[in-house]
mmCIF file of all heavy atoms in Angstrom:
data_model
loop_
_atom_site.group_PDB
_atom_site.id
_atom_site.type_symbol
_atom_site.label_atom_id
_atom_site.label_comp_id
_atom_site.label_asym_id
_atom_site.label_seq_id
_atom_site.Cartn_x
_atom_site.Cartn_y
_atom_site.Cartn_z
ATOM 1 N N GLY A 19 26.202 65.752 141.234
ATOM 2 C CA GLY A 19 25.396 65.618 142.431
ATOM 3 C C GLY A 19 24.266 64.628 142.183
ATOM 4 O O GLY A 19 24.187 64.007 141.186
ATOM 5 N N THR A 20 23.344 64.571 143.043
ATOM 6 C CA THR A 20 22.234 63.656 142.875
ATOM 7 C C THR A 20 21.042 64.268 141.993
ATOM 8 O O THR A 20 20.346 63.416 141.477
ATOM 9 C CB THR A 20 21.650 63.331 144.242
ATOM 10 O OG1 THR A 20 21.153 64.589 144.968
ATOM 11 C CG2 THR A 20 22.638 62.624 145.198
ATOM 12 N N GLN A 21 21.072 65.567 141.749
ATOM 13 C CA GLN A 21 19.969 66.108 140.930
ATOM 14 C C GLN A 21 20.373 66.157 139.468
ATOM 15 O O GLN A 21 19.513 66.118 138.661
ATOM 16 C CB GLN A 21 19.673 67.534 141.454
ATOM 17 C CG GLN A 21 19.092 67.474 142.808
ATOM 18 C CD GLN A 21 18.695 68.831 143.214
ATOM 19 O OE1 GLN A 21 18.828 69.815 142.528
ATOM 20 N NE2 GLN A 21 18.133 68.931 144.508
ATOM 21 N N ALA A 22 21.664 66.276 139.152
ATOM 22 C CA ALA A 22 22.135 66.364 137.825
ATOM 23 C C ALA A 22 23.288 65.545 137.631
ATOM 24 O O ALA A 22 24.153 65.430 138.393
ATOM 25 C CB ALA A 22 22.294 67.805 137.415
ATOM 26 N N ASP A 23 23.418 64.965 136.322
ATOM 27 C CA ASP A 23 24.537 64.133 136.048
ATOM 28 C C ASP A 23 24.984 64.436 134.591
ATOM 29 O O ASP A 23 24.021 64.627 133.772
ATOM 30 C CB ASP A 23 24.202 62.635 136.188
ATOM 31 C CG ASP A 23 25.394 61.747 135.998
ATOM 32 O OD1 ASP A 23 26.569 62.190 136.113
ATOM 33 O OD2 ASP A 23 25.167 60.585 135.585
ATOM 34 N N GLY A 24 26.246 64.495 134.282
ATOM 35 C CA GLY A 24 26.596 64.840 132.934
ATOM 36 C C GLY A 24 27.970 64.507 132.571
ATOM 37 O O GLY A 24 28.756 64.216 133.453
ATOM 38 N N ALA A 25 28.318 64.688 131.368
ATOM 39 C CA ALA A 25 29.681 64.380 130.871
ATOM 40 C C ALA A 25 30.010 65.324 129.721
ATOM 41 O O ALA A 25 29.041 65.654 128.860
ATOM 42 C CB ALA A 25 29.816 62.945 130.400
ATOM 43 N N LEU A 26 31.235 65.745 129.572
ATOM 44 C CA LEU A 26 31.662 66.608 128.488
ATOM 45 C C LEU A 26 32.942 66.039 127.939
ATOM 46 O O LEU A 26 33.916 65.803 128.665
ATOM 47 C CB LEU A 26 31.902 68.076 128.997
ATOM 48 C CG LEU A 26 32.557 68.985 127.999
ATOM 49 C CD1 LEU A 26 31.555 69.312 126.823
ATOM 50 C CD2 LEU A 26 32.890 70.348 128.719
ATOM 51 N N ARG A 27 32.914 65.857 126.555
ATOM 52 C CA ARG A 27 34.123 65.400 125.952
ATOM 53 C C ARG A 27 34.371 66.245 124.724
ATOM 54 O O ARG A 27 33.472 66.569 123.919
ATOM 55 C CB ARG A 27 33.928 63.888 125.361
ATOM 56 C CG ARG A 27 33.787 62.897 126.598
ATOM 57 C CD ARG A 27 33.398 61.490 126.105
ATOM 58 N NE ARG A 27 32.035 61.350 125.721
ATOM 59 C CZ ARG A 27 30.995 61.255 126.519
ATOM 60 N NH1 ARG A 27 31.254 61.380 127.877
ATOM 61 N NH2 ARG A 27 29.816 61.196 126.172
ATOM 62 N N SER A 28 35.634 66.719 124.518
ATOM 63 C CA SER A 28 35.854 67.511 123.403
ATOM 64 C C SER A 28 37.346 67.364 122.958
ATOM 65 O O SER A 28 38.223 66.920 123.735
ATOM 66 C CB SER A 28 35.644 69.001 123.739
ATOM 67 O OG SER A 28 36.489 69.496 124.773
ATOM 68 N N ALA A 29 37.600 67.721 121.746
ATOM 69 C CA ALA A 29 38.938 67.619 121.185
ATOM 70 C C ALA A 29 39.109 68.735 120.226
ATOM 71 O O ALA A 29 38.181 69.177 119.552
ATOM 72 C CB ALA A 29 39.139 66.285 120.545
ATOM 73 N N ALA A 30 40.373 69.163 120.066
ATOM 74 C CA ALA A 30 40.757 70.192 119.044
ATOM 75 C C ALA A 30 42.122 69.865 118.453
ATOM 76 O O ALA A 30 42.931 69.390 119.226
ATOM 77 C CB ALA A 30 40.665 71.551 119.744
ATOM 78 N N VAL A 31 42.197 70.121 117.242
ATOM 79 C CA VAL A 31 43.502 69.919 116.550
ATOM 80 C C VAL A 31 43.792 71.180 115.736
ATOM 81 O O VAL A 31 42.829 71.614 114.952
ATOM 82 C CB VAL A 31 43.482 68.638 115.619
ATOM 83 C CG1 VAL A 31 44.728 68.598 114.774
ATOM 84 C CG2 VAL A 31 43.311 67.511 116.418
ATOM 85 N N GLU A 32 44.902 71.749 115.784
ATOM 86 C CA GLU A 32 45.387 72.946 114.920
ATOM 87 C C GLU A 32 46.668 72.540 114.193
ATOM 88 O O GLU A 32 47.505 71.997 114.850
ATOM 89 C CB GLU A 32 45.509 74.111 115.778
ATOM 90 C CG GLU A 32 45.841 75.349 115.016
ATOM 91 C CD GLU A 32 46.092 76.549 115.912
ATOM 92 O OE1 GLU A 32 45.308 76.683 116.934
ATOM 93 O OE2 GLU A 32 46.959 77.477 115.601
ATOM 94 N N VAL A 33 46.601 72.876 112.878
ATOM 95 C CA VAL A 33 47.814 72.583 112.119
ATOM 96 C C VAL A 33 48.151 73.926 111.356
ATOM 97 O O VAL A 33 47.198 74.683 110.943
ATOM 98 C CB VAL A 33 47.760 71.483 111.176
ATOM 99 C CG1 VAL A 33 47.622 70.199 111.925
ATOM 100 C CG2 VAL A 33 46.591 71.613 110.253
ATOM 101 N N GLN A 34 49.370 74.128 111.064
ATOM 102 C CA GLN A 34 49.867 75.126 110.142
ATOM 103 C C GLN A 34 50.774 74.638 109.177
ATOM 104 O O GLN A 34 51.934 74.771 109.238
ATOM 105 C CB GLN A 34 50.573 76.281 110.995
ATOM 106 C CG GLN A 34 50.736 77.534 110.222
ATOM 107 C CD GLN A 34 51.222 78.673 111.157
ATOM 108 O OE1 GLN A 34 51.265 78.532 112.333
ATOM 109 N NE2 GLN A 34 51.554 79.711 110.591
ATOM 110 N N PRO A 35 50.166 73.998 108.129
ATOM 111 C CA PRO A 35 51.008 73.207 107.184
ATOM 112 C C PRO A 35 51.791 74.035 106.235
ATOM 113 O O PRO A 35 52.931 73.601 105.738
ATOM 114 C CB PRO A 35 49.860 72.417 106.316
ATOM 115 C CG PRO A 35 48.723 73.249 106.407
ATOM 116 C CD PRO A 35 48.775 73.858 107.784
ATOM 117 N N TRP A 36 51.365 75.294 105.864
ATOM 118 C CA TRP A 36 52.209 76.121 105.003
ATOM 119 C C TRP A 36 52.264 77.550 105.587
ATOM 120 O O TRP A 36 51.188 78.059 105.816
ATOM 121 C CB TRP A 36 51.608 76.148 103.626
ATOM 122 C CG TRP A 36 51.336 74.869 103.010
ATOM 123 C CD1 TRP A 36 52.305 74.027 102.560
ATOM 124 C CD2 TRP A 36 50.042 74.222 102.830
ATOM 125 N NE1 TRP A 36 51.609 72.869 102.139
ATOM 126 C CE2 TRP A 36 50.360 73.039 102.253
ATOM 127 C CE3 TRP A 36 48.780 74.623 103.203
ATOM 128 C CZ2 TRP A 36 49.228 72.125 101.925
ATOM 129 C CZ3 TRP A 36 47.717 73.797 102.868
ATOM 130 C CH2 TRP A 36 48.098 72.599 102.195
ATOM 131 N N GLY A 37 53.327 78.056 105.738
ATOM 132 C CA GLY A 37 53.545 79.471 106.165
ATOM 133 C C GLY A 37 52.415 80.178 106.878
ATOM 134 O O GLY A 37 52.194 80.050 108.019
ATOM 135 N N ARG A 38 51.660 80.888 106.060
ATOM 136 C CA ARG A 38 50.529 81.718 106.606
ATOM 137 C C ARG A 38 49.259 80.990 106.690
ATOM 138 O O ARG A 38 48.224 81.652 107.103
ATOM 139 C CB ARG A 38 50.434 82.957 105.740
ATOM 140 C CG ARG A 38 51.550 83.825 105.818
ATOM 141 C CD ARG A 38 51.297 85.077 104.912
ATOM 142 N NE ARG A 38 52.402 85.999 105.028
ATOM 143 C CZ ARG A 38 52.303 87.222 104.503
ATOM 144 N NH1 ARG A 38 51.230 87.587 103.817
ATOM 145 N NH2 ARG A 38 53.279 87.987 104.598
ATOM 146 N N PHE A 39 49.118 79.802 106.268
ATOM 147 C CA PHE A 39 47.784 79.124 106.310
ATOM 148 C C PHE A 39 47.640 78.284 107.644
ATOM 149 O O PHE A 39 48.559 77.569 108.031
ATOM 150 C CB PHE A 39 47.789 78.073 105.044
ATOM 151 C CG PHE A 39 46.488 77.299 105.101
ATOM 152 C CD1 PHE A 39 45.343 77.863 104.623
ATOM 153 C CD2 PHE A 39 46.526 75.955 105.490
ATOM 154 C CE1 PHE A 39 44.166 77.099 104.540
ATOM 155 C CE2 PHE A 39 45.322 75.218 105.412
ATOM 156 C CZ PHE A 39 44.154 75.832 104.943
ATOM 157 N N ARG A 40 46.525 78.504 108.309
ATOM 158 C CA ARG A 40 46.254 77.794 109.542
ATOM 159 C C ARG A 40 44.850 77.183 109.547
ATOM 160 O O ARG A 40 43.964 77.747 108.939
ATOM 161 C CB ARG A 40 46.277 78.822 110.734
ATOM 162 C CG ARG A 40 46.087 78.169 112.062
ATOM 163 C CD ARG A 40 45.963 79.242 113.177
ATOM 164 N NE ARG A 40 44.774 80.069 112.996
ATOM 165 C CZ ARG A 40 43.691 79.678 113.583
ATOM 166 N NH1 ARG A 40 43.478 78.503 114.235
ATOM 167 N NH2 ARG A 40 42.651 80.424 113.434
ATOM 168 N N MET A 41 44.817 76.015 110.026
ATOM 169 C CA MET A 41 43.515 75.248 110.067
ATOM 170 C C MET A 41 43.364 74.673 111.422
ATOM 171 O O MET A 41 44.241 74.145 112.031
ATOM 172 C CB MET A 41 43.499 74.172 109.062
ATOM 173 C CG MET A 41 42.160 73.388 109.031
ATOM 174 S SD MET A 41 42.129 72.142 107.717
ATOM 175 C CE MET A 41 43.119 70.811 108.436
ATOM 176 N N ASP A 42 42.156 74.804 112.036
ATOM 177 C CA ASP A 42 41.792 73.976 113.212
ATOM 178 C C ASP A 42 40.437 73.422 113.170
ATOM 179 O O ASP A 42 39.574 73.987 112.495
ATOM 180 C CB ASP A 42 42.066 74.862 114.492
ATOM 181 C CG ASP A 42 41.063 75.935 114.663
ATOM 182 O OD1 ASP A 42 39.914 75.651 115.054
ATOM 183 O OD2 ASP A 42 41.449 77.111 114.419
ATOM 184 N N VAL A 43 40.368 72.272 113.807
ATOM 185 C CA VAL A 43 39.007 71.526 113.794
ATOM 186 C C VAL A 43 38.756 71.243 115.298
ATOM 187 O O VAL A 43 39.582 70.768 116.079
ATOM 188 C CB VAL A 43 39.144 70.254 113.022
ATOM 189 C CG1 VAL A 43 37.913 69.348 113.107
ATOM 190 C CG2 VAL A 43 39.495 70.531 111.549
ATOM 191 N N THR A 44 37.527 71.322 115.705
ATOM 192 C CA THR A 44 37.073 70.969 116.926
ATOM 193 C C THR A 44 35.852 70.143 116.962
ATOM 194 O O THR A 44 35.083 70.268 115.932
ATOM 195 C CB THR A 44 36.707 72.274 117.865
ATOM 196 O OG1 THR A 44 35.674 72.978 117.154
ATOM 197 C CG2 THR A 44 37.893 73.157 117.993
ATOM 198 N N ALA A 45 35.666 69.271 117.854
ATOM 199 C CA ALA A 45 34.488 68.385 117.961
ATOM 200 C C ALA A 45 34.210 68.070 119.457
ATOM 201 O O ALA A 45 35.167 68.144 120.266
ATOM 202 C CB ALA A 45 34.797 67.126 117.210
ATOM 203 N N GLY A 46 32.990 67.696 119.782
ATOM 204 C CA GLY A 46 32.668 67.386 121.056
ATOM 205 C C GLY A 46 31.271 66.916 121.198
ATOM 206 O O GLY A 46 30.439 66.836 120.307
ATOM 207 N N GLU A 47 31.017 66.496 122.587
ATOM 208 C CA GLU A 47 29.721 65.938 122.914
ATOM 209 C C GLU A 47 29.457 66.292 124.331
ATOM 210 O O GLU A 47 30.376 66.116 125.153
ATOM 211 C CB GLU A 47 29.733 64.383 122.645
ATOM 212 C CG GLU A 47 28.419 63.727 123.117
ATOM 213 C CD GLU A 47 28.604 62.257 122.896
ATOM 214 O OE1 GLU A 47 29.063 61.566 123.842
ATOM 215 O OE2 GLU A 47 28.108 61.839 121.849
ATOM 216 N N ARG A 48 28.256 66.623 124.641
ATOM 217 C CA ARG A 48 27.860 66.969 126.054
ATOM 218 C C ARG A 48 26.599 66.149 126.331
ATOM 219 O O ARG A 48 25.658 66.296 125.482
ATOM 220 C CB ARG A 48 27.720 68.439 126.232
ATOM 221 C CG ARG A 48 27.422 68.831 127.708
ATOM 222 C CD ARG A 48 27.201 70.277 127.867
ATOM 223 N NE ARG A 48 25.735 70.425 127.650
ATOM 224 C CZ ARG A 48 25.185 71.602 127.259
ATOM 225 N NH1 ARG A 48 25.928 72.616 127.178
ATOM 226 N NH2 ARG A 48 23.901 71.643 126.985
ATOM 227 N N SER A 49 26.496 65.531 127.432
ATOM 228 C CA SER A 49 25.302 64.856 127.798
ATOM 229 C C SER A 49 24.930 65.290 129.182
ATOM 230 O O SER A 49 25.736 65.324 130.116
ATOM 231 C CB SER A 49 25.451 63.244 127.698
ATOM 232 O OG SER A 49 26.437 62.840 128.532
ATOM 233 N N ASP A 50 23.657 65.580 129.344
ATOM 234 C CA ASP A 50 23.120 66.019 130.635
ATOM 235 C C ASP A 50 21.904 65.152 131.011
ATOM 236 O O ASP A 50 21.025 64.875 130.146
ATOM 237 C CB ASP A 50 22.629 67.531 130.562
ATOM 238 C CG ASP A 50 23.799 68.500 130.338
ATOM 239 O OD1 ASP A 50 24.806 68.315 130.988
ATOM 240 O OD2 ASP A 50 23.629 69.384 129.432
ATOM 241 N N GLY A 51 21.889 64.756 132.197
ATOM 242 C CA GLY A 51 20.735 63.998 132.654
ATOM 243 C C GLY A 51 20.380 64.450 134.088
ATOM 244 O O GLY A 51 21.087 64.972 134.908
ATOM 245 N N ARG A 52 19.070 64.020 134.418
ATOM 246 C CA ARG A 52 18.568 64.259 135.712
ATOM 247 C C ARG A 52 18.043 62.896 136.286
ATOM 248 O O ARG A 52 16.899 62.503 136.033
ATOM 249 C CB ARG A 52 17.473 65.322 135.681
ATOM 250 C CG ARG A 52 17.903 66.565 135.130
ATOM 251 C CD ARG A 52 17.011 67.685 135.563
ATOM 252 N NE ARG A 52 17.395 68.934 135.050
ATOM 253 C CZ ARG A 52 18.309 69.748 135.633
ATOM 254 N NH1 ARG A 52 18.801 69.389 136.755
ATOM 255 N NH2 ARG A 52 18.691 70.950 135.182
ATOM 256 N N PRO A 53 18.884 62.235 137.029
ATOM 257 C CA PRO A 53 18.513 60.927 137.555
ATOM 258 C C PRO A 53 17.225 60.777 138.335
ATOM 259 O O PRO A 53 16.525 59.880 138.263
ATOM 260 C CB PRO A 53 19.805 60.503 138.354
ATOM 261 C CG PRO A 53 20.833 61.279 138.017
ATOM 262 C CD PRO A 53 20.166 62.647 137.429
ATOM 263 N N LEU A 54 16.909 61.893 138.997
ATOM 264 C CA LEU A 54 15.703 61.855 139.883
ATOM 265 C C LEU A 54 14.472 61.996 138.968
ATOM 266 O O LEU A 54 13.374 61.534 139.424
ATOM 267 C CB LEU A 54 15.689 63.015 140.831
ATOM 268 C CG LEU A 54 16.866 62.860 141.919
ATOM 269 C CD1 LEU A 54 16.878 64.117 142.851
ATOM 270 C CD2 LEU A 54 16.765 61.622 142.729
ATOM 271 N N ASP A 55 14.537 62.549 137.869
ATOM 272 C CA ASP A 55 13.415 62.589 136.895
ATOM 273 C C ASP A 55 13.138 61.395 136.159
ATOM 274 O O ASP A 55 12.052 61.082 135.609
ATOM 275 C CB ASP A 55 13.634 63.772 135.896
ATOM 276 C CG ASP A 55 13.552 65.120 136.559
ATOM 277 O OD1 ASP A 55 13.160 65.277 137.663
ATOM 278 O OD2 ASP A 55 14.030 66.041 135.891
ATOM 279 N N GLY A 56 14.122 60.527 136.062
ATOM 280 C CA GLY A 56 14.013 59.217 135.291
ATOM 281 C C GLY A 56 14.012 59.523 133.772
ATOM 282 O O GLY A 56 13.801 58.555 133.036
ATOM 283 N N ALA A 57 14.288 60.672 133.342
ATOM 284 C CA ALA A 57 14.315 60.942 131.876
ATOM 285 C C ALA A 57 15.736 60.540 131.331
ATOM 286 O O ALA A 57 16.780 60.494 131.991
ATOM 287 C CB ALA A 57 14.111 62.405 131.569
ATOM 288 N N ALA A 58 15.715 60.171 130.013
ATOM 289 C CA ALA A 58 16.908 59.834 129.352
ATOM 290 C C ALA A 58 17.771 61.010 129.202
ATOM 291 O O ALA A 58 17.367 62.226 129.151
ATOM 292 C CB ALA A 58 16.633 59.291 127.904
ATOM 293 N N PRO A 59 19.162 60.920 129.252
ATOM 294 C CA PRO A 59 20.015 62.002 129.113
ATOM 295 C C PRO A 59 19.877 62.685 127.765
ATOM 296 O O PRO A 59 19.557 62.081 126.852
ATOM 297 C CB PRO A 59 21.491 61.371 129.220
ATOM 298 C CG PRO A 59 21.262 60.015 129.852
ATOM 299 C CD PRO A 59 19.807 59.611 129.508
ATOM 300 N N VAL A 60 20.049 64.009 127.756
ATOM 301 C CA VAL A 60 20.089 64.799 126.507
ATOM 302 C C VAL A 60 21.432 64.992 126.072
ATOM 303 O O VAL A 60 22.346 65.404 126.834
ATOM 304 C CB VAL A 60 19.400 66.178 126.862
ATOM 305 C CG1 VAL A 60 19.382 67.010 125.605
ATOM 306 C CG2 VAL A 60 17.949 65.960 127.316
ATOM 307 N N THR A 61 21.680 64.747 124.779
ATOM 308 C CA THR A 61 23.088 64.810 124.286
ATOM 309 C C THR A 61 23.076 65.993 123.214
ATOM 310 O O THR A 61 22.203 65.970 122.244
ATOM 311 C CB THR A 61 23.439 63.460 123.509
ATOM 312 O OG1 THR A 61 23.384 62.432 124.622
ATOM 313 C CG2 THR A 61 24.786 63.514 123.060
ATOM 314 N N LEU A 62 24.157 66.586 123.183
ATOM 315 C CA LEU A 62 24.439 67.719 122.229
ATOM 316 C C LEU A 62 25.823 67.385 121.576
ATOM 317 O O LEU A 62 26.791 67.175 122.314
ATOM 318 C CB LEU A 62 24.452 69.075 122.879
ATOM 319 C CG LEU A 62 24.921 70.233 122.059
ATOM 320 C CD1 LEU A 62 23.828 70.599 121.026
ATOM 321 C CD2 LEU A 62 25.227 71.419 122.942
ATOM 322 N N ARG A 63 25.864 67.404 120.219
ATOM 323 C CA ARG A 63 27.175 67.095 119.536
ATOM 324 C C ARG A 63 27.515 68.304 118.652
ATOM 325 O O ARG A 63 26.635 68.871 118.063
ATOM 326 C CB ARG A 63 27.062 65.815 118.685
ATOM 327 C CG ARG A 63 26.905 64.552 119.540
ATOM 328 C CD ARG A 63 26.806 63.415 118.698
ATOM 329 N NE ARG A 63 26.766 62.145 119.459
ATOM 330 C CZ ARG A 63 25.652 61.552 119.811
ATOM 331 N NH1 ARG A 63 24.420 62.163 119.399
ATOM 332 N NH2 ARG A 63 25.576 60.502 120.539
ATOM 333 N N TRP A 64 28.748 68.556 118.561
ATOM 334 C CA TRP A 64 29.092 69.609 117.645
ATOM 335 C C TRP A 64 30.484 69.375 117.002
ATOM 336 O O TRP A 64 31.307 68.569 117.409
ATOM 337 C CB TRP A 64 29.267 71.035 118.453
ATOM 338 C CG TRP A 64 30.397 70.986 119.385
ATOM 339 C CD1 TRP A 64 31.776 71.496 119.145
ATOM 340 C CD2 TRP A 64 30.430 70.699 120.718
ATOM 341 N NE1 TRP A 64 32.504 71.333 120.206
ATOM 342 C CE2 TRP A 64 31.731 70.812 121.259
ATOM 343 C CE3 TRP A 64 29.593 70.082 121.589
ATOM 344 C CZ2 TRP A 64 32.215 70.559 122.504
ATOM 345 C CZ3 TRP A 64 29.913 69.880 122.827
ATOM 346 C CH2 TRP A 64 31.180 70.072 123.328
ATOM 347 N N VAL A 65 30.658 69.996 115.905
ATOM 348 C CA VAL A 65 31.975 70.023 115.093
ATOM 349 C C VAL A 65 32.164 71.331 114.447
ATOM 350 O O VAL A 65 31.173 72.032 114.090
ATOM 351 C CB VAL A 65 31.939 68.861 114.072
ATOM 352 C CG1 VAL A 65 30.916 69.076 113.012
ATOM 353 C CG2 VAL A 65 33.287 68.701 113.416
ATOM 354 N N GLY A 66 33.342 71.803 114.456
ATOM 355 C CA GLY A 66 33.680 73.022 113.819
ATOM 356 C C GLY A 66 34.979 73.104 113.108
ATOM 357 O O GLY A 66 35.883 72.323 113.427
#
């Protein structure tokens, strides 16, 4: 809308290379902005 603007990007990968062993990795970025305030967008990044 006109009061808030944002974007969300994320990705996840899961592998099970050997029998009972499992590994997954996630990462992403979220940016939120308020165009009417004129402030720069706030960005949050994560990895797990």
Side-chain angles (χ1 to χ4, degrees):
T20 58
Q21 294 183 2
D23 185 23
L26 173 66
R27 291 172 287 283
S28 66
V31 175
E32 180 178 327
V33 294
Q34 191 169 354
W36 309 285
R38 295 181 175 188
F39 179 76
R40 185 186 67 88
M41 177 178 82
D42 69 74
V43 176
T44 60
E47 176 182 85
R48 187 184 81 201
S49 62
D50 296 312
R52 301 202 179 273
L54 297 178
D55 294 345
V60 176
T61 302
L62 174 71
R63 293 181 178 93
W64 70 88
V65 64

